[in-house]
Amino acid sequence: MPSTGTPPGELRRALARAYPWAKAPFIVGAPMRVLSGPRLAVAVSQAGGLGFIGPTLKSGDLVSDLEEAAALIRSSSRLASASTTLHVGDHGPRATLPVGVGFQTWNSDVAASLAALEKHQPCAVWLFAPRRGQSELDEWVAAVRRASPSTKIWIQVGTLREATDAVGSPSPPDVLVIQGAEAGGHGRAADGMGTMALFPEVSDATRASGIPLVAAGGIVDGRGVAAALSLGAAGVAMGTRMLASAEARISRGYQDEVVRAADGASSTVRTQLYNHLRGTFGWPEQFSPRGVINRSWIEHQEGVPFDELKKRHDRAAAEAGDAAWGPEGRLATYAGAAVGLVRSVDDAATIVDGVRREAKDIVTSLTGDL
């Protein structure tokens, strides 16, 4: 381990100072597209974490999501006081919202996104999936900082090269999210590594930068949090576990399948098939999502032509209701490889508090044993 650079403990404290309502260990609700709406984001922040609103289907939806989040925050005595004035803009003091927003930079409407950020000033923006690599992220970072100067920039990476490019950029982020290949969201399709191997190497390579690192991928309980902290993480991000939250913007059939699925090594697969069946094309080739295997995938492997798979998928979406998900269903259940550890639907506060308590108990017991 390198002897130079900012110690992990100081990086954790830096993250705590940036988000003063947060409790340790720092738990983040990942910005899952559509599924992480304002209710979930605010609930995670209310519980002492940091919740992110995920990318929306249409650029205009972000404004309504942020307006709903702002209304929920105003009704929360804990979070209303956390909307601290952090800078003075052209129109006087501005306060940031204690929630973040995520963007897929390859297909997001930059102008509409910046207008929403300028109006509502979320405390963090999470950028990922560029088509043109670091240069595209640099453009976004510069634009976001002009529109919302107090917003902290988070960049998600999945390889050592992406991490060193981000840290060495003329516009480095405030936080790096290190996503392991276990994750359910769009990650590295061919060159991804597991969190346990990826994170320490990135940590060693970036420590001199003083940028806090957040671990993501395969973390659904306190055991994963404790492991990430031991690797030097300043915080952890959870996506799949939050799919089984009461506040998630999710269909009942999808949520039931997240709770049912087990043995993620054999029951999930990284593929663009589910994207294409949903009509989503154009993702940069280096990224693909992880999903639970269902009839669409099985029949694809058996050689059923895509056009026929698409007809069956669309028919299920229109007619099958909650049965459209599941082993015999056809709709996508995006979820991480640790999906088998998700066994119940709980409200976000119960999830965050339980994970935090379990992680603390593990670290305490290990300290005593060692």
Side-chain angles (χ1 to χ4, degrees), residues 12 15-28 44-51 78-79 82 98 356:
R12 287 192 285 270
L15 209 56
R17 289 192 294 271
Y19 307 104
W21 68 88
K23 301 176 183 178
F26 191 82
I27 308 294
V28 177
V44 171
S45 292
Q46 172 74 27
L50 173 56
R78 173 180 172 82
L79 289 183
R356 182 183 293 123

Side-chain angles (χ1 to χ4, degrees), residues 31-181:
M32 299 174 288
R33 187 177 188 225
V34 178
L35 304 170
S36 297
R39 287 186 63 235
L40 178 55
V42 172
V44 171
S45 292
Q46 172 74 27
L50 173 56
F52 277 83
I53 295 171
T56 53
L57 288 176
K58 297 180 293 185
S59 57
D61 293 342
L62 177 58
V63 173
S64 58
D65 274 358
L66 284 169
E67 288 175 349
E68 182 180 347
L72 291 169
I73 289 164
R74 286 193 296 271
S75 68
S76 164
S77 58
R78 173 180 172 82
L79 289 183
S81 62
S83 297
T84 309
T85 298
L86 295 178
H87 79 284
V88 177
D90 295 337
H91 303 288
R94 300 292 301 274
T96 58
L97 293 178
V99 294
V101 177
F103 294 102
Q104 300 165 176
T105 62
W106 73 272
N107 69 342
S108 293
D109 183 328
V110 177
S113 300
L114 295 177
L117 296 179
E118 186 171 14
K119 179 178 180 180
H120 290 284
Q121 308 279 308
C123 68
V125 161
W126 176 319
L127 305 175
F128 69 113
R131 186 179 299 283
R132 295 182 285 105
Q134 188 59 43
S135 63
E136 182 175 307
L137 294 173
D138 288 342
E139 294 167 5
W140 270 81
V141 171
V144 170
R145 285 179 171 154
R146 287 194 299 269
S148 183
S150 60
T151 297
K152 302 295 185 184
I153 305 295
W154 295 40
I155 287 180
Q156 175 186 313
V157 299
T159 66
L160 177 64
R161 175 63 182 272
E162 287 181 320
T164 55
D165 283 352
V167 169
S169 163
S171 303
D174 299 293
V175 176
L176 267 181
V177 180
I178 315 304
Q179 186 201 60

Side-chain angles (χ1 to χ4, degrees), residues 45 81 102 107 141 169 223 227 248 265 272 294 316-317 335 360-361 364:
S45 292
S81 62
N107 69 342
V141 171
S169 163
R223 292 172 293 183
Q272 287 284 1
N294 62 15
K360 287 183 176 181
D361 288 347
T364 300

